[in-house]
Amino acid sequence: MVTRRSSATWLALGYAVLVFYASLYPFWPWRLPPSLPWPGVVGLPWPRYWSRFDLWTNVVGYAPLGFLCLFAVVRSGKGLWGAWLLVGVGLPLLSFAMETLQYFLPGRVPSLADFLLNSAGAWLGGVIAWTLHRFGGLERWTGWRERWFVPHSAGALALLAVWPVGLLYPAPVPLGLGQLFPRLRELAEQVLAGTPWELMPDESVSDLPLPPGLEAIAIAMGLLAPCLLALSVARAGWLRRVMLVMGAGCLGLAATASSTVLNFGPDHAWAWFTTTTWPGLLIGGVLALMAALMSRRANAAWGLVVLTALIALMSEAPADPYLAESLQAWEQGRFVNLYGLAQWVGWLWPFAALAWLLYGVTQSDSAPSPLRSRLDRPSEDASTRDISHTSRAGENPDPTMAP
């Protein structure tokens, strides 16, 4: 088994953070319970009541984690035994640890039923992943990835997979992620209030929305940024690059519409599609199609520029008071644990993409993978291959690798 860098590893780690967040939210206040439970699973109480929502969320919540963990371990070359050890034992232990820590949070209720349902969900996800692997699903995915993306692209693919999650929390501007600095300043003002280091209110910050021109530019950059990230790891071929751009655009539109439906109802699914939005989407789409003609390194370089500009613009975009008021019912309801995470993903995604572009594109991908070598192996005999190899010496097989 060949060891590979897998996007499943990054996604599994990210999903484990989601489980930690959802299990221990709101993380405060911590207190020592009046009496500690009996050590072990038997110490967890059986719930007095539960709902259908609790049933399916506990199962479905851990199923993707079991799925991703099994694929991640298999892709890393550890084999099925190691994968089943992690899914069958490690994930139930994680659930048990989360349920036990809830004893120390007054706002959370530990439950033996939650532990059993979490474990069943992890095993279900592992069984689904094993079934796909048994019937060649992993090999087909590997082959598709080798044909479409260069080696060392796992981090970029993981970022592209979580990008729609960040769009689920409505941003001040459609597709406008990265509004982290205003939130950090608000947090600093709260923490330092009443101290010698108290921050004065920033009078330069305006409550007015961005002008229509800047808003259209922010929307265009919000669409262009993930497209440039995808093109920075895409193999040569204008058609497949165009398909990646179109797929990213459709995914962004669908995620934004889904966010509007979840927060404001189905009647408002396309209320965000205004006379300012569609020019921004058009500009971003045209620029992304033009970027499909550039090299991977050029797309990575322009991705750094676009992400930096997007973060700067979103730092100037004020929060919508009507939006904040409309989200109160959602944030204080049963979905608060997962939905708050979507907000954090939206804040941090551009920074994570910046970090990957700064580091990931420096990795060497000159050595082809064994699967790619088999896919590209010519059918002629050895002498013909030698002659062909000699005639092609000095040529660059991937035009997009040119600086």
Side-chain angles (χ1 to χ4, degrees), residues 53-353:
F53 172 82
D54 297 324
L55 178 64
W56 73 263
T57 52
N58 281 287
V59 173
V60 175
Y62 267 71
L65 185 59
F67 182 92
L68 292 170
C69 285
L70 190 135
F71 264 157
V73 175
V74 171
R75 288 271 294 174
S76 67
K78 298 299 190 296
L80 282 174
W81 283 109
W84 278 117
L85 182 63
L86 175 61
V87 174
V89 179
L91 296 187
L93 287 177
L94 173 65
S95 175
F96 173 71
M98 295 298 101
E99 294 297 325
T100 301
L101 286 174
Q102 289 180 4
Y103 275 108
F104 301 88
L105 289 169
R108 303 309 302 265
V109 180
S111 169
L112 177 60
D114 289 349
F115 164 74
L116 296 176
L117 292 171
N118 293 158
S119 302
W123 296 336
L124 175 63
V127 169
I128 295 174
W130 175 84
T131 303
L132 290 176
H133 174 62
R134 178 68 177 81
F135 290 96
L138 182 59
E139 288 74 15
R140 292 187 181 91
W141 158 251
T142 302
W144 180 85
R145 173 179 162 175
E146 293 284 350
R147 287 189 296 270
W148 282 71
F149 300 100
V150 298
H152 312 298
S153 59
L157 296 181
L159 285 169
L160 291 171
V162 301
W163 175 59
V165 177
L167 297 176
L168 290 179
Y169 192 96
V173 175
L175 304 180
L177 304 183
Q179 199 180 35
L180 178 63
F181 290 139
R183 306 287 84 78
L184 291 179
R185 180 175 178 83
E186 292 176 4
L187 179 61
E189 290 177 354
Q190 295 175 4
V191 172
L192 299 178
T195 68
W197 302 278
E198 182 176 3
L199 295 177
M200 298 299 295
D202 190 355
E203 298 181 355
S204 63
V205 177
S206 174
D207 293 332
L208 297 176
L210 290 176
L214 286 180
E215 183 176 345
I217 293 174
I219 294 171
M221 291 182 175
L223 175 61
L224 183 59
C227 293
L228 292 175
L229 179 63
L231 293 173
S232 70
V233 295
R235 289 192 178 274
W238 189 78
L239 179 59
R240 68 170 54 129
R241 289 176 165 226
V242 169
M243 293 178 65
L244 286 176
V245 169
M246 295 178 63
C250 292
L251 192 61
L253 294 177
T256 305
S258 299
S259 172
T260 310
V261 169
L262 290 173
N263 292 283
F264 305 108
D267 295 338
H268 304 280
W270 299 102
W272 57 274
F273 198 82
T274 64
T275 55
T276 303
T277 305
W278 73 260
L281 295 174
L282 180 62
I283 294 172
V286 171
L287 292 177
L289 291 175
M290 294 174 62
L293 301 173
M294 299 190 304
S295 68
R296 291 192 296 106
R297 289 191 176 92
N299 279 293
W302 280 108
L304 294 173
V305 175
V306 169
L307 284 167
T308 303
L310 176 64
I311 293 171
L313 278 176
M314 296 314 300
S315 297
E316 299 297 326
D320 188 348
Y322 174 75
L323 174 63
E325 182 179 355
S326 300
L327 293 178
Q328 289 302 312
W330 176 281
E331 292 183 342
Q332 295 177 3
R334 56 176 48 169
F335 297 98
V336 63
N337 300 337
L338 300 182
Y339 198 69
L341 186 74
Q343 186 179 35
W344 278 100
V345 172
W347 289 343
L348 297 177
W349 188 90
F351 297 91

